[in-house]
Amino acid sequence: MAGIQFQSIRKIFGKTIAANDVSLEIKNGEFMVLLGPSGCGKTTLLRCLAGLERVDGGRVFIGDRDVTDLAPRDRKIAMVFQSYAVFPHLTVFDNIAFGLQMQNRPRDEIKRRVEESARMLELSDYLKRYPAQLSGGQRQRVAVARAIVMQAAVLLMDEPLSNLDALLRLQMRAELKRLHSDIKATTIYVTHDQVEALSLGDRIAVMQNGRIVQCDAPMNIYDYPANKFVGGFIGTPPMNFLPGVVRVNDGKPVAVVGESQIAPSAALASALSAKNGQPILLGIRPENLALAPSQQANTIRARVRVVEPLGSHKLLTMQVGSEISKVSVAPDQRVAPDEDVWLHFDPEKIRWMDAASGEAISSIV
């Protein structure tokens, strides 16, 4: 096992900058998730670590070794790809053992390590079968077992669950989390699925346009997004953003949103007072809005457009001024389309952002 360092990594394809001066340190044994939309550079960064792409600038370290110019076979890594990439003519045993066989390991060692990996991935009963006799989830477990059997210093996973259906993805997420707690390998996991990122990662590095825009623990990123992009990308449904204007009355700042006034938390009052008259964005999660019986402090009028019963909760689509917002309420909450309601804001849950840049006004408070 080993820590990883990306130092000012730059990778260019033609006129496209896939990795733009990326620096990131990953701790020994950490499960790091690289998250972002297609084309943000997350897979490129993973391939630069694996040696499948040569960097155009910067250095890559695994532990205290500079591996920037080493061949992939010399980096002591194992990788699980998006496709299963299992050999159809080999049994499950031989698929898992393939890397060890290429290293000419002794037969008894190969048998022991394959059986141990198969047991961890619940494949012990399938070692004599061929891939065609397995389900999609079982084939993906074979690919993971083939990687961990190598006992590499670093385990890389490039969207390994994207080809599975929703139920299998749910099951495999739990298996991968359990597996990491068992083997404790330094793991980098690439995905565009923010649910996977939140559930699996010790930390998440959110990428946009070849850069890391925020790197933190999953719930810090969820509750305190660094900017509008992160807030809008993380969450199902994503964070709501309501435009307003900062006004200071008797030394106390508020955001004027339509006909309502929303007060900030005490910790943000000073920072917002300096923005008197400037436009502001109020970012708030759907579950942090609540229906109020009447107009009161920190409420705003809204009209219900759509009601979606989802079992554990109801998801409401609301018209708030010119904006569309989502609100999550209890399943027994009585509300109907075209009904006018009041929404209550918890000041502690609002993420205040600069309207022009989309950047959060302050760090975590």
Side-chain angles (χ1 to χ4, degrees):
M1 294 187 291
I4 297 165
Q5 287 188 49
F6 296 100
Q7 296 183 354
S8 302
I9 297 301
R10 189 172 180 85
K11 180 62 184 178
I12 303 173
F13 297 100
K15 296 182 179 180
T16 301
I17 302 176
N20 192 354
D21 196 31
V22 175
S23 294
L24 178 64
E25 183 172 352
I26 301 167
K27 300 174 184 176
N28 180 35
E30 186 174 22
F31 197 121
M32 172 65 76
V33 177
L34 302 181
L35 174 68
S38 297
C40 70
K42 56 189 186 295
T43 295
T44 296
L45 196 62
L46 193 77
R47 291 174 64 85
C48 288
L49 174 60
L52 302 177
E53 300 286 353
R54 288 188 64 87
V55 300
D56 295 311
R59 312 301 295 175
V60 180
F61 289 83
I62 298 177
D64 57 1
R65 294 190 306 142
D66 185 342
V67 301
T68 310
D69 300 316
L70 293 183
R73 65 178 178 273
D74 299 323
R75 299 194 182 201
K76 297 181 180 179
I77 60 169
M79 192 164 182
V80 181
F81 294 92
Q82 181 175 351
S83 60
Y84 308 137
V86 293
F87 300 109
H89 62 290
L90 298 180
T91 64
V92 169
F93 183 98
D94 288 331
N95 264 283
I96 298 173
F98 183 80
L100 297 175
Q101 292 167 346
M102 292 298 97
Q103 293 180 349
N104 294 316
R105 297 283 185 176
R107 287 188 177 182
D108 58 342
E109 180 186 350
I110 291 176
K111 183 175 185 296
R112 174 179 57 80
R113 286 168 62 172
V114 168
E115 289 177 349
E116 180 182 355
S117 297
R119 185 169 60 253
M120 294 176 71
L121 273 300
E122 299 180 2
L123 291 169
S124 299
D125 294 336
Y126 306 97
L127 290 175
K128 295 182 179 180
R129 293 191 186 183
Y130 288 87
Q133 299 170 300
L134 304 178
S135 68
Q138 289 167 339
R139 293 179 198 176
Q140 191 62 63
R141 289 206 296 271
V142 172
V144 175
R146 185 174 56 193
I148 67 170
V149 78
M150 302 305 296
Q151 298 179 352
V154 175
L155 179 60
L156 310 181
M157 297 189 178
D158 187 9
E159 304 200 44
L161 308 185
S162 60
N163 290 328
L164 304 180
D165 62 38
L167 181 58
L168 280 177
R169 283 202 304 273
L170 182 65
Q171 295 171 345
M172 280 298 296
R173 281 207 311 268
E175 290 181 12
L176 288 177
K177 193 153 190 173
R178 175 187 56 80
L179 177 65
H180 180 257
S181 69
D182 290 340
I183 65 175
K184 296 179 173 58
T186 304
T187 303
I188 302 183
Y189 187 101
V190 164
T191 184
H192 64 272
D193 187 326
Q194 44 89 20
V195 175
E196 286 182 15
L198 290 169
S199 65
L200 287 172
D202 295 325
R203 285 191 298 156
I204 301 172
V206 184
M207 297 190 67
Q208 180 188 25
N209 298 329
R211 294 182 181 273
I212 294 175
V213 294
Q214 188 173 6
C215 183
D216 209 334
M219 290 313 298
N220 282 343
I221 286 182
Y222 185 82
D223 291 331
Y224 305 102
N227 56 30
K228 184 180 179 182
F229 168 77
V230 176
F233 190 78
I234 300 277
T236 306
M239 179 173 273
N240 300 305
F241 297 98
L242 297 178
V245 177
V246 176
R247 300 293 183 201
V248 179
N249 301 320
D250 298 326
K252 296 180 179 180
V254 295
V256 178
V257 182
E259 60 189 40
S260 299
Q261 296 185 355
I262 310 299
S265 63
L268 280 176
S270 178
L272 288 172
S273 293
K275 295 183 175 291
N276 187 26
Q278 296 183 24
I280 196 82
L281 285 178
L282 276 64
I284 189 161
R285 296 288 180 190
E287 66 271 21
N288 293 327
L289 287 166
L291 298 182
S294 61
Q295 185 178 16
Q296 52 190 262
N298 294 322
T299 58
I300 188 170
R301 185 184 294 276
R303 170 161 289 192
V304 180
R305 292 303 187 192
V306 179
V307 178
E308 299 176 72
L310 298 177
S312 62
H313 65 285
K314 285 181 181 176
L315 185 62
L316 310 180
T317 301
M318 311 287 253
Q319 183 84 37
V320 184
S322 61
E323 301 295 320
I324 296 295
S325 296
K326 300 288 188 178
V327 180
S328 178
V329 299
D332 58 353
Q333 179 79 60
R334 291 192 174 185
V335 64
D338 297 325
E339 182 179 349
D340 288 326
V341 298
W342 290 97
L343 293 178
H344 179 260
F345 290 73
D346 181 349
E348 300 292 336
K349 299 295 186 179
I350 296 175
R351 195 62 166 154
W352 300 72
M353 299 182 178
D354 182 83
S357 67
E359 296 296 318
I361 298 299
S362 71
S363 59
I364 297 174
V365 294

